[in-house]
Amino acid sequence: METMSYSDSDSSSGAGDYKNFRQISRERLLYEMLRSAKTGDSKSTWKVLIMDKVTVKIMSNSCKMADITSEGVSLVEDIYRRRQPLPSLDAIYFMQPTKENVIVFLSDMSGRTPLYKKAFVYFSSPISRELVAHIKKDSSVLPRIGALREEFPFVRYRAAKSLDSMTMTTFRDLIPTKLAAGIWNCLVKHKSIPNFPQKETCELLILDRSIDQIAPVIHEWTYDAMCHDLLNMEGNKYVHEVPSKTGGAPEKKEVLLEEHDPIWLELRHAHIADASERLHEKMTNFVSKNKAAQLQHGSRDSGELSTRELQKMVQALPQYSEQIDKLSLHVEIAGKINRIIREQGLRELGQLEQDLVFGDAGMKDVIKFLTTNEEVSRENKLRLLMILAAIYPEKFEGEKGLNLMKLAKLPPDDMNAVNNMRLLAPSSDAKKSSAGAFSLKFDIHKKKRTARKDRSGEQETWQLSRFYPIIEELVEKLGKGELSKDDYPCMNDPSPTFHGTSQAAPIHEAPVAHSMRSRRTPTWARPRGSDDGYSSDSVLRHASSDFKKMGKRIFVFIIGGATRSELRVCHKLTGKLNREVVLGSTSLDDPPQFITKLKLLTAHELSLEDLQI
């Protein structure tokens, strides 16, 4: 782990222009890219926007379709699909700087009949000299290029390779100087963020996945996490059935669970029990205030509405169609999640998982659970053993590990994932590097097998809401200036007046240690009536309303993939610390993706014990 603190003296804007990272990304996309893509001889103001799979996610994460069309974009296209020639319109290419994308671009714009009049090309990251030379070779394309720009870092931009393609050699190559400097330049150096306050100091915390191996596999009980964990979603896309307009069989409809949906925005970080209660209250309130809805609901005493009844209500009340549509969608999703929780017995499993993490359960409890709950799914048994391996890695050495796998009735490829999880666990005898070199140093307290400790003064509201990722504690301490410099050294240790000035000392490299977590009950599960500043709607209301009062930004970058629980706590801490906390990573992994990675990797690629950088 490394922390970095820089001040940006190249910006000309004052501190009063503070904007959050999403706003900055949106402005860069709309104004620096879409609005600037024009030529003096263009008769038409309309343009075509062409993107690949990655850049379309960047765009959708920051901008609405209405924003894009307001900047003169009449058509959005996929670079890999066959497209209709529009020789009278200019085109904007927003894409990754890959050989495949460049070949497609040159094919579009070369020859006597190009697809578009002019091409304005924006790459999402630096392009290689070889690809630039390849573009220059085509003399028919060069006069048709209106702009060629690179390095547009945005929210969720992948600044490094994914863990599934990394070996220990690439880790050595990247950390600390190349990766740290690269992430920093990508996120906060002067041209990456326009209008960056002149004397604002930021902090960058770089971690790897081994800092908290449990977070990617434990069952997280928030609405967002459970949607992506249990519903087999593809990204943010959810598919559900709606009544046919022609009266036939139900039709499948795709919806995106994203920030443009106000209900999703309100509930995404809420505990699933809290989210279910809120949805029930919303529907009950709507029915009680609308006579037509009461007729559809009927005279039943039960307050529960079936999905079919909700869909009929949409048809009967067209003036409320959008409102009921979204409400019925989330009622359906929450109902499906709760059914899966019951059918898979996740409450008992989740309780055991959290008891293991907090030191309230051990090996005997796991063996008893596996013996008496043979109906538990293969994936859930695997996740339980992966958590166990992270806490008790020595229990999976040799025959002991094989016996546990036999008890769980898991196949050999699952054993590979468990073994790799064990190798990610902190090692008590990891070698220390020589002075001045960076290394990973681990600290395991053999007498204590607990990954979290209680904090006093916080009350648990919802069952199974005890777990929280370790970065919550680390970022909170960093924000308060309490993060141990011995365990988490700063590469460019700031002056004593660090939190009030932009002065920074030279970069230092030192050993890194893993800190044991501190357990406490998350305040995001408090009743919604208590406006404590931690709920998503409270954060949006209080933190986002006045960014001029925000402190310096904190950037967190996790090598090896981030989790939705870590996204949640960064959102929460933005309001709590009054500092924008931005999370970046090599990937965003839900449990199935993380488990697949560990199954495919070899032990050499994943072992951190011999890593000396």
Side-chain angles (χ1 to χ4, degrees), residues 34 36 44 64 82 85 115 250 303 324 352 354 366 401 530 564:
L34 299 184
S36 66
S44 174
K64 298 180 181 179
R82 181 178 288 239
L115 292 186
I324 304 174
L352 177 57
Q354 299 205 13
V366 173
S530 63
R564 296 188 185 275

Side-chain angles (χ1 to χ4, degrees), residues 251-443:
E251 300 173 351
K252 288 189 176 181
K253 181 180 179 182
E254 295 181 355
V255 292
L256 293 177
L257 301 181
E258 56 185 5
E259 295 196 355
H260 305 320
D261 178 347
I263 298 179
W264 174 256
L265 197 63
E266 176 189 346
L267 300 179
R268 57 181 176 173
H269 298 317
H271 189 283
I272 182 61
D274 186 22
S276 300
E277 284 191 12
R278 292 198 211 183
L279 287 168
H280 175 70
E281 288 178 8
K282 287 177 184 293
M283 183 55 69
T284 301
N285 290 338
F286 178 80
V287 171
S288 65
K289 294 176 182 178
N290 191 288
K291 291 183 178 179
Q294 291 173 21
L295 292 174
Q296 289 295 319
H297 185 29
S299 58
R300 293 182 298 113
D301 294 331
S302 172
E304 297 295 329
L305 280 166
S306 69
T307 301
R308 185 170 296 276
E309 285 175 322
L310 288 168
Q311 291 166 347
K312 287 182 179 179
M313 195 180 294
V314 172
Q315 294 174 333
L317 301 169
Q319 68 271 34
Y320 299 110
S321 61
E322 184 177 356
Q323 181 182 354
I324 304 174
D325 247 348
K326 290 195 179 299
L327 189 53
S328 62
L329 167 68
H330 289 284
V331 168
E332 174 189 327
I333 291 173
K336 186 178 291 187
I337 290 173
N338 283 313
R339 283 196 301 275
I340 294 173
I341 291 172
R342 290 192 299 270
E343 291 167 0
Q344 296 188 6
L346 292 185
R347 287 192 178 89
E348 183 182 357
L349 175 62
Q351 188 67 59
L352 177 57
E353 289 176 347
Q354 299 205 13
D355 285 347
L356 280 171
V357 172
F358 291 110
D360 298 331
M363 284 293 301
K364 291 182 179 179
D365 301 280
V366 173
I367 292 172
K368 180 181 178 182
F369 178 84
L370 293 174
T371 304
T372 57
N373 293 275
E374 295 185 1
E375 74 284 355
V376 174
S377 69
R378 168 185 165 184
E379 179 188 334
N380 285 333
K381 287 189 286 188
L382 173 58
R383 288 167 68 170
L384 178 61
L385 290 188
M386 290 174 75
I387 293 171
L388 190 67
I391 302 172
Y392 297 92
E394 77 284 355
K395 299 295 185 182
F396 288 84
E397 295 174 356
E399 288 294 324
K400 291 183 288 186
L402 292 174
N403 291 335
L404 280 170
M405 296 300 286
K406 288 179 182 177
L407 177 64
K409 298 179 181 179
L410 296 179
D413 62 327
D414 286 350
M415 185 66 181
N416 193 45
V418 175
N419 278 332
N420 283 336
M421 194 72 164
R422 176 176 64 87
L423 292 171
L424 268 178
S427 173
S428 58
D429 57 353
K431 297 178 181 179
K432 296 181 180 180
S433 64
S434 57
F438 177 88
S439 70
L440 293 178
K441 182 181 70 178
F442 302 110
D443 182 19

Side-chain angles (χ1 to χ4, degrees), residues 171-182:
F171 267 109
R172 256 184 222 105
D173 290 342
L174 291 173
I175 303 175
T177 53
K178 289 186 180 179
L179 181 59

